[in-house]
Amino acid sequence: MTKKIPTRLYLSEDERPRYWYNLRADMRDKPDPILHPGTLKPVSAADLEGVFCKECVKQELDDTTRLIPIPGGIREFYEAYRPAPLIRAYFLEKALETPAEIYYKHEGTNTSGSHKLNSAAAQAFYAREEGLTSLTTETGAGQWGTAMAMASAFYNIKLTVYMVKISSEQKPYRKALIETYGANLIPSPSNTTEAGRKILDADPGTVGSLGCAISEAIETAVKTGKCRYVLGSVLNHVLLHQSIIGQETKIALDKYNVTPDIIIGCAGGGSNLGGLIAPFMGEKLAGKSRTRFIAVEPASCPSFTRGRYAYDFGDTGKTTPLIKMFTLGSGFMPSANHAGGLRYHGMNSTLSKLYKDGFLEAVSYVQSDVFDAAVQFAKVEGILPAPESSHAIKAAIDQALECKRTGEKKIILFGLTGTGYFDMTAYMAYNAKTMTDYIPSDADLERGFATLPDIPQNKP
Amino acid sequence: MTKKIPTRLYLSEDERPRYWYNLRADMRDKPDPILHPGTLKPVSAADLEGVFCKECVKQELDDTTRLIPIPGGIREFYEAYRPAPLIRAYFLEKALETPAEIYYKHEGTNTSGSHKLNSAAAQAFYAREEGLTSLTTETGAGQWGTAMAMASAFYNIKLTVYMVKISSEQKPYRKALIETYGANLIPSPSNTTEAGRKILDADPGTVGSLGCAISEAIETAVKTGKCRYVLGSVLNHVLLHQSIIGQETKIALDKYNVTPDIIIGCAGGGSNLGGLIAPFMGEKLAGKSRTRFIAVEPASCPSFTRGRYAYDFGDTGKTTPLIKMFTLGSGFMPSANHAGGLRYHGMNSTLSKLYKDGFLEAVSYVQSDVFDAAVQFAKVEGILPAPESSHAIKAAIDQALECKRTGEKKIILFGLTGTGYFDMTAYMAYNAKTMTDYIPSDADLERGFATLPDIPQNKP
């Protein structure tokens, strides 16, 4: 008799992952290299070390080492809030009357409210190990800023967070949470940097943007002694840290002989999706599984489903190195979609390559459909999901309903990246039926593509 | 060699509690009976069944059955968010440089954000089992209202929540969360009840009070068919449900041969404290342990430390049965202390009896000291605590520092009842250094005591 799978699939202390998994090492066709925007040559470690911590640069450029040990000083912090619960969605299955099995990895039980803490811990730890005394970063929706504030408090590093001005005003509680952990929060644009002053001179009433906040954070990091910049998604070293999500999930599922047929994650910059799927994708690349992988994005910012595969800047200020990725163009202006964490024009280069090569699928949804799924999930599973995570929920429900139609007993796994505690204005709009959907027109997209760099590598 | 205690002490599936523990059964000297306010005789089940679910009434009046099985339909729901993490506070111990061992039970990882869900699940389940179609309740700070909304959505029962008007305005996100789970939220006082209309007629601009919201909820429950009232603390059946906290904690600690020297919990109505200490207190009453138990309350609402042991009403409207308890008088007006969950004039009768008989100690703190402790804890342990829970943190830190002074290696356990996500205005006041402390004068207390019922049982 097979033992019934419990609602929560635990990992004992001895079973916890001690390595991050570097998926690129197992890709025959690697992602294209990051290019220096001036020379258009692949960047060197030295090019990046002025901005990022050395260890993060080393990890960023390493596409051959499969397993990278998680230092004890980081595992110690992970122990405080991990393993994240892996939950069998019995209640959701019952509500949907589906023959499918649904599982989700719940990254929202820590105070930062999302998976972002996994990489924040790593980056703050390395900064301290390398003798740095301060870090800078930017935050939009606020999840990354909170995670970095927590990690910086824990590892005793000073942190300056440039928070998009309109977000700092619309989300005073996020701002307060970041400040409670001791970070210096500066609404961006600010007069603390040249980049900020330039924007303020041109448009004193601007509400700010993530691109501008990135420019300010990088400028301050470069100009300050023993200070570096940290980023919460998009880059490959961030995905590496997030592979803890997939590693824990796979170890737990393997214990119960569960192999997912479909793995689903929401995708903004790609860190959660990349982290969740990493070890499963490794098996697929090795021909050991037939698992399908689905990235879910908002219809308002459809980098996979309607974007182009090209070299592009990571920021709207066009100051970063060039990354080969699916992108809407750094000048694409996403609408004020509530899923703040998915409002990014590009996508991690590894995931972009996998999508290009057919290993990864993508779908997009409008947000009112996403919130329908979120509330349905909240009522039966008891967890209020973040708007970002709810994209994955929507796709999982659709797949489960497809199983109901066909009678197939598929195994569906999705990533629940975080909780919606700081997104109540979005739920209020949903409850009041004032939520609007937005799908960019082809002309909107063309305006974004027109901002792609005009370089030989982007010619057909 | 003793195995090092992990940061998180897990319970396997087989180890989960299947019984609530009814501490009163093991008390030689029982709490005094609840009295009917008209006859001043002990209430009967029939007296209470017009207001509460039958099973809750049975549990309320049962002071002899030690172990009460948790029905499968409730355990199923508990599985979705329990066991709550039991955490060794290694980081806090290190920060304090104390020889003490510190443990805490973290009840804040579910969406309601607190331990309240443990009793909400039970009460909603029983209501459905008894064929009821709706429930009413009140909420002040909002934790109980959220918990009941979640449980009612799960068990498919309609819920009306009377939320203190000023709270519904000051905490729009709490209100939205309760509404997202499908509850009908009515700011109190309202014109939906006679009690509400009477208060509005007398004072149209009133901001409302918990006492008034209770009166409205009870009136609606009694007047509506197949509807009952549910309460989140104070009563003994609520403490019974909360014994799941102590049961899980004790099983886990016993596995590691850890016996607490001191157990600490914050105390408002007493449900968290009573639930956490129950099985440990049982051992003490049986002479099997020397554990000390400490209730922590705000200096602004000191029912244990400055209250009287007397029969009193549970609500300010003086409509409930009379409970023998430590109380400040139902007419005591607590200041607008941020720890909303601790602003109650009375205390559970079982805890009151134990305090009277010397088995339980109590201390009080002003809130600025409590928030100092909260932020210190948040930075090293990574969890932003609720203001209520932070009272317990403050006491635990004080005990650990006392160990540092004396060199004693005591084992300290405290209850972390919830997270502070919806209390950011309090943290903002703390960060801005605008938080004020309030200690009632003796004259303030006398005004409260003057509202105690003038009945023979309260004569010396």
Side-chain angles (χ1 to χ4, degrees):
Chain A
M1 199 184 107
T2 324
K3 198 183 165 199
K4 189 192 175 227
I5 289 168
T7 305
R8 294 179 151 217
L9 293 74
Y10 279 103
L11 284 185
S12 72
E13 226 192 329
D14 301 336
E15 294 166 332
R16 312 277 167 82
R18 294 178 161 255
Y19 296 87
W20 290 309
Y21 170 60
N22 185 9
L23 174 61
R24 288 170 294 166
D26 283 336
M27 291 169 70
R28 202 186 51 193
D29 300 318
K30 312 278 187 197
D32 293 325
I34 300 172
L35 301 184
H36 188 288
T39 65
L40 299 183
K41 295 268 191 309
V43 291
S44 66
D47 289 334
L48 296 176
E49 283 173 0
V51 175
F52 296 101
C53 303
K54 280 185 188 171
E55 187 63 29
C56 292
V57 169
K58 189 178 154 203
Q59 293 172 349
E60 186 65 33
L61 300 178
D62 181 349
D63 60 8
T64 54
T65 311
R66 289 187 73 246
L67 295 174
I68 296 180
I70 307 172
I74 297 171
R75 279 193 285 118
E76 179 186 56
F77 188 76
Y78 282 176
E79 276 289 306
Y81 70 98
R82 304 197 68 83
L86 175 63
I87 300 173
R88 171 80 183 268
Y90 280 115
F91 306 129
L92 182 62
E93 291 171 16
K94 195 174 158 192
L96 297 174
E97 297 176 332
T98 177
E101 291 180 17
I102 308 175
Y103 299 82
Y104 56 97
K105 182 74 167 170
H106 180 16
E107 291 285 329
T109 58
N110 71 76
T111 282
S112 81
S114 83
H115 68 291
K116 296 281 185 183
L117 194 54
N118 303 329
S119 184
Q123 296 192 53
F125 171 82
Y126 288 131
R128 195 193 59 182
E129 291 294 294
E130 292 172 21
L132 302 177
T133 53
S134 66
L135 291 169
T136 71
T137 197
E138 78 291 326
T139 201
Q143 290 182 331
W144 173 246
T146 309
M148 272 309 303
M150 285 176 63
S152 300
F154 184 81
Y155 291 110
N156 206 13
I157 292 264
K158 281 186 200 161
L159 176 72
T160 297
V161 180
Y162 288 92
M163 184 168 191
V164 177
K165 195 175 173 187
I166 182 79
S167 294
S168 75
E169 290 167 0
Q170 286 177 344
K171 296 194 164 190
Y173 293 171
R174 263 290 178 199
K175 178 170 177 285
L177 183 54
I178 293 168
E179 289 177 334
T180 297
Y181 277 94
N184 175 29
L185 190 146
I186 301 175
S188 166
S190 74
N191 58 17
T192 65
T193 64
E194 271 183 39
R197 285 189 292 271
K198 198 183 285 180
I199 290 168
L200 284 173
D201 282 350
D203 180 6
T206 179
V207 297
S209 71
L210 205 54
C212 171
I214 294 176
S215 303
E216 290 205 278
I218 293 177
E219 182 184 327
T220 299
V222 172
K223 286 186 178 168
T224 307
K226 297 198 176 190
C227 181
R228 291 293 185 280
Y229 166 75
V230 289
L231 185 69
S233 188
V234 185
L235 296 177
N236 285 315
H237 67 275
V238 181
L239 264 74
L240 175 72
H241 305 151
Q242 295 297 354
S243 70
I244 185 77
I245 304 172
Q247 295 279 80
E248 282 182 4
T249 304
K250 189 161 190 309
I251 293 168
L253 289 179
D254 284 349
K255 276 171 64 174
Y256 293 91
N257 293 314
V258 173
T259 304
D261 296 302
I262 305 171
I263 303 181
I264 297 166
C266 65
S271 74
N272 139 71
L273 177 69
L276 174 65
I277 70 174
F280 300 96
M281 182 62 85
E283 299 233 313
K284 177 159 175 152
L285 295 177
K288 291 182 195 162
S289 93
R290 293 172 171 233
T291 303
R292 285 174 58 199
F293 300 89
I294 305 177
V296 192
E297 55 188 20
S300 60
C301 195
S303 21
F304 268 139
T305 51
R306 297 174 71 195
R308 289 198 185 150
Y309 190 51
Y311 267 105
D312 197 6
F313 292 99
D315 64 334
T316 51
K318 302 195 175 190
T319 62
T320 68
L322 295 167
I323 300 170
K324 185 73 174 282
M325 60 183 172
F326 277 86
T327 175
L328 299 163
S330 64
F332 176 77
M333 289 299 291
S335 78
N337 190 299
H338 288 295
L342 306 182
R343 292 176 61 202
Y344 183 70
H345 67 277
M347 187 59 65
N348 166 267
S349 64
T350 303
L351 294 177
S352 290
K353 178 69 176 164
L354 291 166
Y355 182 69
K356 179 73 180 170
D357 292 348
F359 294 104
L360 174 66
E361 306 164 45
V363 293
S364 73
Y365 292 106
V366 295
Q367 71 174 347
S368 57
D369 290 344
V370 166
F371 274 82
D372 282 344
V375 172
Q376 180 177 20
F377 176 84
K379 286 184 178 173
V380 296
E381 290 290 324
I383 298 164
L384 187 84
E388 293 85 354
S389 326
S390 303
H391 286 73
I393 295 173
K394 168 65 179 157
I397 289 177
D398 277 5
Q399 291 294 333
L401 291 176
E402 176 67 12
C403 287
K404 181 178 178 179
R405 217 177 50 75
T406 62
E408 286 175 291
K409 194 177 151 55
K410 286 189 181 164
I411 294 171
I412 300 166
L413 164 70
F414 71 89
L416 184 75
T417 55
T419 56
Y421 297 126
F422 290 94
D423 303 285
M424 290 314 302
T425 47
Y427 279 96
M428 285 160 83
Y430 176 79
N431 292 341
K433 302 189 197 309
T434 59
M435 181 168 270
T436 55
D437 293 328
Y438 167 76
I439 300 174
S441 69
D442 288 344
D444 291 333
L445 294 187
E446 284 306 326
R447 274 190 292 277
F449 295 143
T451 65
L452 286 170
D454 185 21
I455 57 173
Q457 287 83 348
N458 278 351
K459 305 292 180 207
Chain B
M1 200 183 104
T2 324
K3 200 184 167 198
K4 190 193 173 228
I5 290 167
T7 305
R8 295 180 150 218
L9 293 74
Y10 279 103
L11 283 186
S12 75
E13 227 192 327
D14 303 335
E15 295 167 330
R16 312 278 168 82
R18 294 177 160 255
Y19 296 87
W20 290 307
Y21 170 60
N22 185 9
L23 174 60
R24 286 171 294 165
D26 284 335
M27 290 169 71
R28 201 186 51 190
D29 300 318
K30 313 276 186 199
D32 292 325
I34 301 174
L35 301 185
H36 189 289
T39 64
L40 299 184
K41 297 264 190 304
V43 291
S44 67
D47 289 335
L48 297 175
E49 282 174 1
V51 176
F52 296 101
C53 303
K54 282 185 186 171
E55 187 63 28
C56 292
V57 170
K58 190 178 153 203
Q59 293 172 350
E60 186 65 33
L61 299 178
D62 182 350
D63 60 8
T64 55
T65 311
R66 289 187 72 245
L67 294 175
I68 295 179
I70 307 172
I74 297 171
R75 278 192 285 117
E76 181 186 56
F77 187 77
Y78 282 176
E79 275 289 306
Y81 70 97
R82 305 197 66 83
L86 175 63
I87 300 173
R88 171 79 184 267
Y90 280 116
F91 306 130
L92 182 61
E93 292 170 15
K94 195 173 159 194
L96 296 174
E97 298 176 331
T98 177
E101 292 182 16
I102 307 175
Y103 298 82
Y104 56 98
K105 182 74 167 171
H106 179 17
E107 291 286 328
T109 59
N110 71 76
T111 282
S112 80
S114 82
H115 68 291
K116 296 281 185 183
L117 195 54
N118 303 330
S119 184
Q123 296 193 52
F125 171 81
Y126 287 130
R128 196 193 59 184
E129 290 296 292
E130 293 172 22
L132 303 176
T133 53
S134 65
L135 291 169
T136 71
T137 196
E138 78 291 326
T139 201
Q143 290 182 332
W144 172 246
T146 310
M148 270 310 303
M150 287 176 63
S152 300
F154 184 81
Y155 290 110
N156 206 15
I157 292 264
K158 282 185 200 160
L159 176 72
T160 298
V161 179
Y162 288 92
M163 185 168 189
V164 177
K165 195 174 173 189
I166 184 77
S167 293
S168 74
E169 290 167 359
Q170 286 177 343
K171 296 194 162 189
Y173 293 170
R174 264 290 178 198
K175 178 171 178 283
L177 182 55
I178 292 168
E179 289 177 335
T180 297
Y181 277 94
N184 175 30
L185 189 146
I186 301 175
S188 168
S190 74
N191 58 17
T192 65
T193 65
E194 272 182 40
R197 285 191 292 271
K198 196 182 290 182
I199 289 168
L200 284 174
D201 283 349
D203 180 6
T206 179
V207 298
S209 71
L210 205 55
C212 171
I214 294 177
S215 303
E216 290 207 277
I218 292 178
E219 181 183 328
T220 299
V222 171
K223 285 187 179 169
T224 308
K226 297 198 174 189
C227 181
R228 291 293 183 281
Y229 166 75
V230 289
L231 185 69
S233 189
V234 184
L235 295 177
N236 284 315
H237 67 274
V238 181
L239 263 74
L240 175 72
H241 306 151
Q242 295 298 354
S243 70
I244 185 77
I245 304 172
Q247 295 279 79
E248 281 181 7
T249 304
K250 188 160 191 311
I251 294 169
L253 289 180
D254 283 350
K255 277 170 66 175
Y256 292 93
N257 293 315
V258 173
T259 305
D261 295 302
I262 304 170
I263 303 182
I264 297 166
C266 63
S271 74
N272 138 72
L273 177 68
L276 173 66
I277 69 173
F280 300 97
M281 182 63 84
E283 301 233 311
K284 176 160 176 151
L285 294 178
K288 291 183 191 159
S289 93
R290 295 176 170 228
T291 302
R292 285 175 58 199
F293 300 90
I294 304 175
V296 192
E297 54 187 18
S300 60
C301 196
S303 20
F304 269 139
T305 50
R306 297 175 71 196
R308 289 200 185 149
Y309 190 50
Y311 268 105
D312 197 7
F313 293 99
D315 64 333
T316 52
K318 302 195 175 190
T319 63
T320 69
L322 295 168
I323 300 170
K324 185 75 175 282
M325 59 183 173
F326 276 86
T327 175
L328 299 165
S330 65
F332 176 78
M333 291 300 292
S335 78
N337 190 299
H338 289 294
L342 305 182
R343 292 176 61 202
Y344 183 68
H345 67 277
M347 186 59 65
N348 166 266
S349 63
T350 303
L351 294 178
S352 290
K353 179 69 177 161
L354 291 166
Y355 181 67
K356 180 72 180 169
D357 292 347
F359 294 105
L360 174 65
E361 306 164 44
V363 293
S364 73
Y365 292 107
V366 295
Q367 70 174 346
S368 57
D369 289 344
V370 166
F371 275 81
D372 282 345
V375 172
Q376 180 177 20
F377 176 84
K379 286 185 178 174
V380 296
E381 290 290 321
I383 298 165
L384 188 82
E388 292 86 352
S389 326
S390 304
H391 286 72
I393 295 173
K394 168 63 179 160
I397 289 177
D398 277 4
Q399 291 294 333
L401 291 177
E402 177 65 13
C403 288
K404 182 178 177 179
R405 216 178 49 78
T406 63
E408 286 175 291
K409 193 175 151 53
K410 287 191 181 162
I411 295 172
I412 300 166
L413 164 69
F414 71 90
L416 185 74
T417 56
T419 56
Y421 296 128
F422 289 95
D423 302 286
M424 291 314 301
T425 46
Y427 279 98
M428 285 160 83
Y430 176 79
N431 292 341
K433 302 189 197 309
T434 59
M435 180 167 272
T436 53
D437 293 328
Y438 167 76
I439 300 175
S441 67
D442 288 342
D444 292 334
L445 295 186
E446 284 306 326
R447 274 189 292 277
F449 295 141
T451 66
L452 284 171
D454 184 19
I455 57 172
Q457 286 83 348
N458 278 351
K459 305 292 179 206

